[in-house]
Amino acid sequence: MSEIHDPASVAHPTPRIDGEDKLTGRARYTTDWQVSGMLHGYPVPATIAHGVLGALELDEARAMPGVVDILHHRHFPRLKRSPNSMKHGDQVSEVRLPFEDERIYYHGQYIALVVAETFAQARAAALRVRARYRREHDVRPGLLASDAEGETVDHYSRGDPDSAFAAAAVTHDATYAIAPESHVPLEPHVTLAEWRDAEHLIVHESTQGVFYERNALARIFEMPAERVEVIAHYIGSGFGNKLFMWPHAVATAAAARLLGRPVKTVLPRQQDMMNGGHRPASRQRLRLAADRDGRLLAIRHDSTSETSLIDRHVDACGGATPSAYACDNVATVQRLLAVNHGTPCPMRAPGEVSGIFALECAMDELALALDMDPLALRRRNYADRDPQRDLPWSSKQLDVCLESAAARFGWAARDPRIGAMREGDEIIGYGMAAATWFAGRQHCQARVEIRADGTLLAACGTQDIGTGTYTIVAQAVAELTGVPVASIAVRLGETGLPAGPLSGGSMTTATVLPAVAAATRDALDALRDVAVGPGSHFAGHDPASLEVAQGALMAEGKRSGFAEILARHRLGSVSGQGSAAPGGERRQYSFRSFGAHFVEVRWDPGISRLRVARVVSSIDVGRAVNPLAARNQVEGAIVMGIGMGLLERLDYDPRDARLINANLADYRVPVHADMPDVDVELLDYPDFRFNEFGARGIGEIGLTGIAPAIANAVHHATGKRIRELPITIESLLDSH
Ligand code: MOS
């Protein structure tokens, strides 16, 4: 591994290479794809949350214009389930197959798929499907509407928390709750399935994992994986709900095979929100013990998250707690409660973002109890090495983040008295929280071609979910070849390309770029071999002696461009393969990213208006490969954090577990009017222990810490400690 210390393209702000295609509409998203003879599917959702499907009345729907067929539990092929293994690459979001039997587990569960000539015809007919149900009345409402604790699925402990609590001078004990949230990707779930010769299945899907979907489909349809191709060139974002396949894709592929025509199913927003995954609700009890100086003596973090009756998705809220602070006595417990909701799934910084809300609010409350500055309390308990694994960090600049963000924010000017800072009618609150997210890497392969037309092509099967993967791949190739980014084409998002990772866990950059670098070096070696051949500029040279600069090979003052070398030898291209995987470094170091958020809220009690006015963040992710896109990730995460903090909540009717706000009129997300002034700083401490680019990953960390910083600022302004997200105006109006 050769560390890239003085990069020419990496770490330079680089406009997206796919930006123009996206602006002009040339970039085709799955929803845009049209193939000849294509039919349209529209699922029919169940209108009860628990029971058994009885008679389906389909005559009226079948008679509607354009209707070709209606699939349901008595008219659907017998398929096999996917083994649902993360390790073996066939994990799915909902393991039950569509229309598998007559049981209904949640409101919205598909009971039929109407297939028609047009989307409008399919939708109109779907509205005419009538269903009878045998309703069962033991509906399990959401976690937040129940006292149930759930079953224990995981725990961690070190030291002796009980003794530490008994001996502590100061303790804190409170319960925090987070409402379920929707991912709300701009592009909803969509599948276009096409069979060739009834032997080959081609699926276009808006997915964060083309290989996972391919493998799962191969299991379900009992085909060799080589006969299934999954394509996702452009994705209208996915925040975890597109990691693993959902039943609409299976229903669509089955319909296409049955009818011998391509079928496309675009989930309407309501079904995307009911059936396409959400962040589950969680309830967390957080207990802290400290001495008078604010040194943490013990932490107990007990969490319960929801899952559905048919899947066991665990939102591991305590994941970040054992390594967050220097503390000898720590215990976490994770519980799971099954309810009659659609299956939840990972959502941006899953588990940890919820756990950090509880932990960072609790730290603020502890600071208050100690009469200590919340920032000073974080510093006092700074973990210089990973206390969970007892290993050094590869690189941890949280102290720099805290200091830099505090200075830019003006934290020193904070008057700690509640409600003491005012401007006009508004009361100003300052709050802060730390941010963290693990840094992981996976295995990846890539291919790079050097072409006679002077361009290069880099290819990897991984997909760009909108975060800028196309661009960073081009930057990596540019870095190693000296060819400008504009002359580098990138192909992603096809299972026919070299195997690449899920776009998830903030792992894509660190996973893909080392493989691309290896493939680039291999392609350059292929070119060197050509260049020393007879009749060439470099005949007789040792190929290893040829240096690369500015798209040319050089030796002893002679220089020959890549295209010139290929032309001289009448070659169209040379190509290289590469692969990369994490090595033994994980046994030597702990890898995490860090950050600090400082938030100013303004509360106008006269008109009951609460707004986030200002966010100042410093983020340490090693090196940001493309600071433009990286900053954009953090800014987007801050907006999402404002949604989590103040607005977003999936509302289920407590009587029948029906999701009642599954639309963008009733489910509130932040809009432009909610945008604060945002100041994001990306530190630049390359983490070469992680990979040669020094890059960890940036997709998720920005969301961690925003909601607690808001809650802490709200307390500073109003004196109200709101421990339930989202923080509503109503909760601030309650009497003291
Ligand atoms: Mo992320 S929740 O791994 O898309």
Side-chain angles (χ1 to χ4, degrees):
M1 183 171 102
S2 45
E3 297 167 3
I4 298 168
H5 283 278
D6 189 16
S9 178
V10 162
H12 292 252
T14 307
R16 289 164 190 263
I17 62 171
D18 49 340
E20 191 179 316
D21 282 351
K22 285 182 168 176
L23 277 175
T24 57
R26 269 198 305 271
R28 261 202 293 181
Y29 291 78
T30 306
T31 30
D32 299 328
W33 275 84
Q34 309 281 340
V35 298
S36 91
M38 186 174 84
L39 296 167
H40 295 263
Y42 195 100
V44 181
T47 55
I48 65 164
H50 200 194
V52 177
L53 178 62
L56 271 174
E57 294 168 18
L58 303 174
D59 291 350
E60 192 187 349
R62 275 207 195 94
M64 295 282 286
V67 172
V68 175
D69 204 352
I70 302 174
L71 281 66
H72 54 89
H73 66 285
R74 294 217 180 82
H75 176 45
F76 195 72
R78 281 182 189 280
L79 303 172
K80 296 290 194 294
R81 288 183 172 190
S82 175
N84 192 28
S85 161
M86 179 79 187
K87 184 171 163 218
H88 295 100
D90 52 26
Q91 186 161 341
V92 293
S93 288
E94 189 175 309
V95 74
R96 182 182 180 275
L97 294 170
F99 321 129
E100 201 175 61
D101 55 30
E102 298 159 1
R103 301 248 10 130
I104 304 294
Y105 299 93
Y106 61 92
H107 180 264
Q109 180 185 319
Y110 304 131
I111 57 169
L113 180 77
V114 176
V115 184
E117 296 290 343
T118 70
F119 176 81
Q121 289 171 334
R123 180 176 184 276
L127 296 172
R128 304 294 179 95
V129 170
R130 302 272 174 262
R132 290 178 201 281
Y133 302 96
R134 267 209 324 280
R135 206 184 271 260
E136 288 168 15
H137 293 281
D138 58 334
V139 172
R140 300 199 212 169
L143 168 68
L144 302 183
S146 115
D147 300 327
E149 274 212 319
E151 59 167 314
T152 299
V153 291
D154 201 7
H155 59 88
Y156 165 87
S157 124
R158 70 169 177 257
D160 180 1
D162 285 341
S163 305
F165 271 100
V170 183
T171 60
H172 167 74
D173 181 351
T175 297
Y176 303 82
I178 301 176
E181 277 188 277
S182 181
H183 302 69
V184 200
L186 201 53
E187 180 187 43
H189 288 297
V190 47
T191 307
L192 164 55
E194 183 177 9
W195 291 80
R196 302 248 166 95
D197 328 321
E199 297 281 318
H200 289 85
L201 171 60
I202 299 156
V203 170
H204 293 261
E205 177 90 33
S206 186
T207 175
Q208 296 173 242
V210 291
F211 290 96
Y212 276 70
E213 175 146 343
R214 178 198 66 177
N215 296 345
L217 285 168
R219 295 293 181 171
I220 288 166
F221 286 93
E222 297 179 86
M223 299 163 65
E226 304 77 56
R227 298 222 201 110
V228 183
E229 189 180 353
V230 177
I231 298 166
H233 290 157
Y234 293 98
I235 295 140
S237 81
F239 300 105
N241 61 335
K242 294 176 181 170
L243 288 168
F244 311 112
M245 187 173 67
W246 293 94
H248 70 272
V250 180
T252 304
R257 189 172 67 175
L258 191 71
L259 301 173
R261 289 172 67 180
V263 178
K264 178 158 85 172
T265 302
V266 182
L267 290 194
R269 184 60 67 180
Q270 182 196 33
Q271 295 184 22
D272 195 71
M273 294 172 84
M274 291 191 301
N275 305 26
H278 58 275
R279 187 197 300 286
S282 60
R283 182 163 49 221
Q284 307 171 58
R285 182 176 177 198
L286 213 304
R287 283 170 279 180
L288 301 176
D291 67 15
R292 282 271 165 235
D293 297 330
R295 240 186 318 272
L296 280 172
L297 302 175
I299 306 174
R300 272 195 181 281
H301 191 166
D302 297 355
S303 317
T304 307
S305 66
E306 288 174 344
T307 187
S308 67
L309 294 189
I310 46 180
D311 294 282
R312 291 169 60 83
H313 173 73
V314 179
D315 211 45
C317 299
T321 303
S323 62
Y325 291 105
C327 177
D328 291 337
N329 307 294
V330 178
T332 71
V333 176
Q334 178 69 43
R335 299 190 180 94
L336 198 58
L337 184 73
V339 301
N340 285 101
H341 295 174
T343 298
C345 68
M347 177 169 161
R348 206 173 197 177
E352 294 194 5
V353 75
S354 305
I356 289 166
F357 167 68
L359 180 62
E360 289 296 283
C361 285
M363 287 293 280
D364 199 71
E365 297 185 64
L366 179 66
L368 219 67
L370 290 160
D371 197 20
M372 199 171 165
D373 185 298
L375 176 56
L377 181 63
R378 267 76 174 190
R379 287 203 174 109
R380 175 130 327 156
N381 294 286
Y382 198 81
D384 282 317
R385 54 193 273 125
D386 180 356
Q388 180 175 16
R389 301 180 63 221
D390 194 23
L391 285 176
W393 302 106
S394 62
S395 173
K396 176 175 181 175
Q397 313 302 332
L398 175 58
D399 47 355
V400 183
C401 291
L402 289 167
E403 185 175 324
S404 172
R408 281 167 20 252
F409 182 81
W411 181 258
R414 177 181 188 260
D415 181 337
R417 293 169 303 157
I418 303 296
M421 296 167 63
R422 287 171 182 265
E423 191 177 306
D425 295 331
E426 291 182 319
I427 306 173
I428 297 167
Y430 283 4
M432 57 84 54
T436 182
W437 181 248
F438 83 96
R441 263 186 80 175
Q442 295 167 309
H443 181 262
C444 183
Q445 299 171 354
R447 188 176 75 230
V448 168
E449 281 174 30
I450 303 173
R451 305 190 285 198
D453 65 0
T455 65
L456 278 76
L457 169 71
C460 176
T462 195
Q463 52 288 306
D464 185 338
I465 55 175
T467 49
T469 308
Y470 281 107
T471 307
I472 58 167
V473 168
Q475 286 179 269
V477 175
E479 186 66 46
L480 298 178
T481 59
V483 171
V485 159
S487 298
I488 297 165
V490 180
R491 279 183 64 189
L492 302 175
E494 294 179 23
T495 51
L497 299 173
L502 281 174
S503 300
S506 302
M507 292 190 277
T508 313
T509 300
T511 298
V512 174
L513 292 201
V516 169
T520 306
R521 292 195 179 99
D522 193 44
L524 288 168
D525 283 346
L527 188 69
R528 285 186 177 98
D529 287 344
V530 168
V532 297
S536 135
H537 265 90
F538 303 112
H541 279 79
D542 173 6
S545 71
L546 301 184
E547 290 185 17
V548 177
Q550 311 295 319
L553 295 183
M554 305 206 300
E556 292 167 11
K558 285 190 285 188
R559 178 185 190 284
S560 187
F562 296 170
E564 191 189 344
I565 294 166
L566 293 171
R568 181 180 289 247
H569 293 273
R570 303 188 187 185
L571 294 175
S573 64
V574 289
S575 86
Q577 318 278 336
S579 69
E585 66 275 7
R586 201 158 282 278
R587 288 190 294 275
Q588 293 172 273
Y589 298 100
S590 273
F591 296 92
R592 265 194 176 269
S593 286
F594 302 93
H597 298 298
F598 288 75
V599 167
E600 175 185 321
V601 301
R602 287 174 173 245
W603 167 240
D604 185 338
I607 57 170
S608 299
R609 185 178 66 179
L610 176 68
R611 64 192 179 94
V612 176
R614 203 156 61 89
V615 179
V616 176
S617 304
S618 288
I619 304 288
D620 163 34
V621 290
R623 168 156 284 164
V625 175
N626 183 0
L628 275 185
R631 181 180 309 279
N632 187 238
Q633 283 299 302
V634 178
E635 290 170 351
I638 288 168
V639 177
M640 196 179 247
I642 291 170
M644 182 182 189
L646 300 182
L647 300 168
E648 297 187 45
R649 179 176 70 200
L650 288 168
D651 286 318
Y652 295 84
D653 189 320
R655 296 166 303 177
D656 60 3
R658 188 172 68 95
L659 180 55
I660 52 180
N661 64 341
N663 62 72
L664 287 176
D666 296 318
Y667 181 87
R668 298 187 302 154
V669 294
V671 297
H672 279 95
D674 299 305
M675 272 298 285
D677 286 336
V678 174
D679 168 8
V680 173
E681 173 190 43
L682 303 169
L683 303 187
D684 186 31
Y685 291 84
D687 190 348
F688 293 124
R689 287 170 175 148
F690 198 42
N691 56 62
E692 65 197 280
F693 293 90
R696 286 197 296 261
I698 190 128
E700 296 171 286
I701 182 167
L703 183 59
T704 70
I706 291 291
I710 293 172
N712 296 340
V714 166
H715 179 264
H716 181 226
T718 67
K720 303 230 173 179
R721 179 60 67 175
I722 311 298
R723 301 192 183 94
E724 189 166 337
L725 296 181
I727 297 170
T728 59
I729 296 299
E730 292 86 336
S731 65
L732 297 178
L733 297 179
D734 286 347
S735 54
H736 286 269

